[in-house]
Amino acid sequence: MNGVWHPRPGDRFYHPRRISRYRLRRVLGIPALFSAGYGDVGSSIYYALGVVALVALGATPIVLGIAGILYIFNALTYAEGSATLPEAGGSASFAQQGINDVVGFIAGWALMLSYVVTMAISAYTIPPYLAYFWPALKEPVAGTAISIGFIAFLMLINVFGVKESARLNIFFIVIDISTQITLVVLGIILILLPNPGNLFQNMFGEGNWPSTQNLVFGIAIAALCFTGVETVSQLAAETRQPTKRVPQAYVLMIFVVLVLFAGISIVALSAMTPQLLGDPVNGWARDPVAGIAQGVSDIIQPRELAASITSETELAIVLAWVFNGIRNILPVLVALLASSILLTATNAGLMGISRLAFNMSFHRQLPAVMGRIHHRFRTPYVGIVLFCFVAVALLVPGFFSPAFFEDLGALYVFGSLLAFALAHAGVLALRLRRPELPRPFKLGGNIKIRNRELPITAVLGLISTLTIWFVIIVIQPYSRWAGIAWMAGGLIVYFFYRRSQHLPLTHIHPKSAPPPEPGKKETRSGQ
């Protein structure tokens, strides 16, 4: 025998099938990125304005302005991070690549909390807008039941894998921005300019200015209005030329969001008192934009407005007809548009959390079951179903008291601010530990520490978000205990999962075998 093996008759050969990993198609441009990000931000104004007014009263425009500065810090940090690491993951990827796996998990798990609360709070505020057509939906029991029904509907849609249309999303966003601009312009012309004293009285009058604690809490709650930065980052892996277009989308969002939110909040307090704006039972806390539309419609007097513009009879008749149409259609348009945008935001939260769960399971931060793909529909159905049940559980208190609306907003802020803080920390760590990485979008205004450049906006963002996060923990018991319980539960799962896989807690060695692809079984010889 010469030691050379030769096949024999009857031998069977096994050729292991190579598993190909699918990459997301890069098809998105700036309009699609902006519409996705603004879909979150634009939807938040339909409920967050009321939550902020519930706490901050007349200081609502001021706390929104302060929170807007923090939004700029966050958006700039995400612009650099997403251009440096153009992949899905957002704050979880920044923290994982810049610090370690456990910090990346904490960021991702906190982001999951903000996603699931976004689902709950967006679904909860749809019925009040639809109550324009069916007033019974204003009642807590009926409204909460319908909200749960929306989540169940979206769960089935996402499990079955119905594709969303980017063009349809862009169309809705264009209509949404146009409607908000119309409300702001009409509100300034018809309400603010004729009676500027109303705004001053509603902001600084007796009983309208909040306590110091509520003022600080209002700044924290105002973070509800400035979502969307994570959404754009999660889409980096599907964007054409992400190193260029993602930062451009962030800059565009900063400009549009700050201008529109300033106008909406000022017009709101010109049209009504902060107590009425922030009342979740008899006021407009759950549907504040509907309150603005109603205020603008009530003040429009078609004939008087037409007569003030022209003395020609024929032209006055035409203008009166136009103004009457605007007065009648504004509340209807806001009700329909707000419901559509909020339903889209609920779905975006569900898509975001299922995508994030899939990403974290792929990086072995969560059990592979969280990213399991349905054999027929090709969707991460386990994550979709699980987190829909969590969102429904968050809505159960709505059957008994609408006052939990404030608690829900604070819980969202708990998760989002922690994720934002770790995003800043991750980008700063990348500057320190991996300065060689290409940075197509690099923040200016740097400070040098040990020959490393650190962006001052990221430093200020880290300090401010952590400070407000601690404020939430101290003064808001519900978000403190619910948020800590969520984080503790996630860390327990993470610890036992990593131990069961014989993996270190903080990192995975580059030479370690790659994880099995979620949803696919390993192929073994002899089977």
Side-chain angles (χ1 to χ4, degrees), residues 39 42-43 46-47 121-134 137 146 150 153-154 172 176 286-287 289-290 331-347:
S43 67
Y46 287 104
Y47 58 80
I121 200 169
S122 297
Y124 185 68
T125 48
I126 295 175
Y129 282 99
L130 292 178
Y132 178 84
F133 308 103
W134 302 285
L137 294 182
I146 295 296
F150 281 129
F153 168 74
L154 291 175
F172 273 122
D176 178 48
R286 294 171 60 193
D287 49 347
V289 181
V332 177
L333 179 61
V334 167
L336 293 175
L337 185 61
S339 303
S340 302
I341 294 294
L342 289 168
L343 187 63
T344 302
T346 308
N347 190 53

Side-chain angles (χ1 to χ4, degrees), residues 18-30:
R18 179 177 295 175
I19 297 176
S20 60
R21 299 193 179 278
Y22 297 97
R23 294 183 179 273
L24 297 172
R25 295 175 58 200
R26 294 190 180 275
V27 296
L28 301 180
I30 294 176

Side-chain angles (χ1 to χ4, degrees), residues 33 35 44 171 204 211 223 253 271 293 359 391 441:
L33 284 174
S35 65
S44 67
F171 171 76
F204 304 105
S211 64
M253 282 177 58
N359 183 274
F441 180 87

Side-chain angles (χ1 to χ4, degrees), residues 344-392:
T344 302
T346 308
N347 190 53
L350 179 54
M351 292 179 64
I353 199 170
S354 59
R355 182 179 309 221
L356 182 59
F358 182 91
N359 183 274
M360 293 176 70
S361 67
F362 179 80
H363 288 288
R364 308 185 81 173
Q365 294 174 307
L366 283 175
V369 68
M370 295 299 296
R372 181 173 295 168
I373 303 298
H374 195 279
H375 69 281
R376 178 182 176 186
F377 302 117
R378 310 300 299 166
T379 55
Y381 68 102
V382 175
I384 291 173
V385 173
L386 174 63
F387 291 113
C388 279
F389 275 105
V390 176
V392 168

Side-chain angles (χ1 to χ4, degrees), residues 140-141 144 396-402:
V141 174
T144 304
V396 169
F399 284 110
F400 312 105
S401 171

Side-chain angles (χ1 to χ4, degrees), residues 51 54-55 213-214 217 220-221 403-414 468-484:
V51 182
L54 178 63
V55 176
Q213 176 175 312
N214 279 3
F217 186 31
I221 289 292
F404 92 111
F405 192 45
E406 176 187 335
D407 295 334
L408 210 56
L411 187 59
Y412 168 85
V413 173
F414 178 100
I468 298 175
W469 185 72
F470 279 116
V471 168
I472 286 286
I473 291 177
V474 171
I475 68 178
Q476 228 285 337
Y478 176 83
S479 61
R480 175 172 68 241
W481 297 118
I484 290 175

